[in-house]
Amino acid sequence: QDRARAVRSQILRLLNFYYATVVINWTGSLIYIYKPTLFVYINSILYLSLLWALVTFYHFVFLITDTGQGKRFSIRHYIIPLVLCLTLAVWSFYVPFDVQTYIVESRGDYVESYKWYSILFTSKLPVRLVYNIIYFALGIYQLYCYRRRIIDYSADEKRTSMHWLYLILALSLTMA
């Protein structure tokens, strides 16, 4: 009873965090277009939010498909994006503000004297695409493993139906 309540609470927190990251990401997109100088200040946070949205959704799928076999969600999923975004944040302190603003206002032009920084600064879309593929595949794999574990549990087709979970996974692609 207490374990179930703790899991429900964790799921609720994850969903709230997920939707918060989605709101931050959409807001960040508007800031990128309409307030480029503000975007420069919050770029690392937006990058982190972008990646954590995908990780958080996978964490949610991981929790709701848990069968109590002791498999734990690895915190490394959250640490890797954090390291990437901290690298961007620290590096940004050493790059002139006008260079960063130029990258945003030009919609991603590289500044030759800051080529590697420009690449990292503008890497959100390719990195997001890679993360989207990885975490969607992990989610599908998690659902596949869950389905295999519960198929023996119940002969009731309604109980083993996973259509609702596949729909949620598909919808996540459009939200993050």
Side-chain angles (χ1 to χ4, degrees):
Q1 184 76 344
D2 288 337
R3 166 93 173 113
R5 184 177 295 127
V7 169
R8 278 194 301 270
S9 176
Q10 187 176 15
I11 288 171
L12 184 60
R13 282 193 312 272
L14 278 173
L15 285 176
N16 285 332
F17 184 71
Y18 173 74
Y19 290 121
T21 59
V22 169
V23 168
I24 290 168
N25 292 334
W26 281 104
T27 303
S29 298
L30 294 173
I31 291 170
Y32 178 80
I33 294 167
Y34 296 110
K35 296 287 186 186
T37 54
L38 176 58
F39 183 85
V40 170
Y41 287 112
I42 60 175
N43 183 32
S44 297
I45 294 167
L46 292 172
Y47 205 155
L48 183 62
S49 176
L50 188 70
L51 299 179
W52 272 0
L54 301 168
V55 173
T56 302
F57 192 80
Y58 171 65
H59 192 172
F60 164 73
V61 169
F62 187 90
L63 278 177
I64 62 175
T65 57
D66 182 30
T67 57
Q69 295 181 341
K71 191 174 166 188
R72 295 182 52 100
F73 187 81
S74 174
I75 196 74
R76 284 182 296 192
H77 293 282
Y78 288 102
I79 291 174
I80 294 170
L82 182 63
V83 169
L84 178 65
C85 296
L86 284 175
T87 301
L88 177 61
V90 169
W91 201 351
S92 294
F93 285 117
Y94 298 99
V95 175
F97 186 80
D98 60 324
V99 170
Q100 295 176 58
T101 304
Y102 172 78
I103 294 170
V104 175
E105 289 175 342
S106 68
R107 302 295 186 242
D109 283 350
Y110 291 166
V111 177
E112 197 54 43
S113 56
Y114 295 96
K115 180 181 177 185
W116 292 109
Y117 177 79
S118 298
I119 290 170
L120 179 60
F121 193 95
T122 59
S123 67
K124 283 179 203 65
L125 285 179
V127 170
R128 179 186 174 182
L129 177 63
V130 168
Y131 259 70
N132 226 343
I133 292 168
I134 289 170
Y135 282 98
F136 185 74
L138 285 171
I140 293 293
Y141 179 73
Q142 184 71 20
L143 293 174
Y144 172 76
C145 291
Y146 178 71
R147 175 100 165 120
R148 276 197 358 225
R149 284 189 301 261
I150 66 166
I151 203 78
D152 295 331
Y153 173 71
S154 175
D156 181 6
E157 177 61 31
K158 287 185 180 179
R159 187 171 183 134
T160 59
S161 176
M162 303 284 289
H163 297 297
W164 65 274
L165 203 46
Y166 288 116
L167 178 64
I168 289 174
L169 193 61
L171 287 174
S172 75
L173 289 174
T174 63
M175 293 187 71

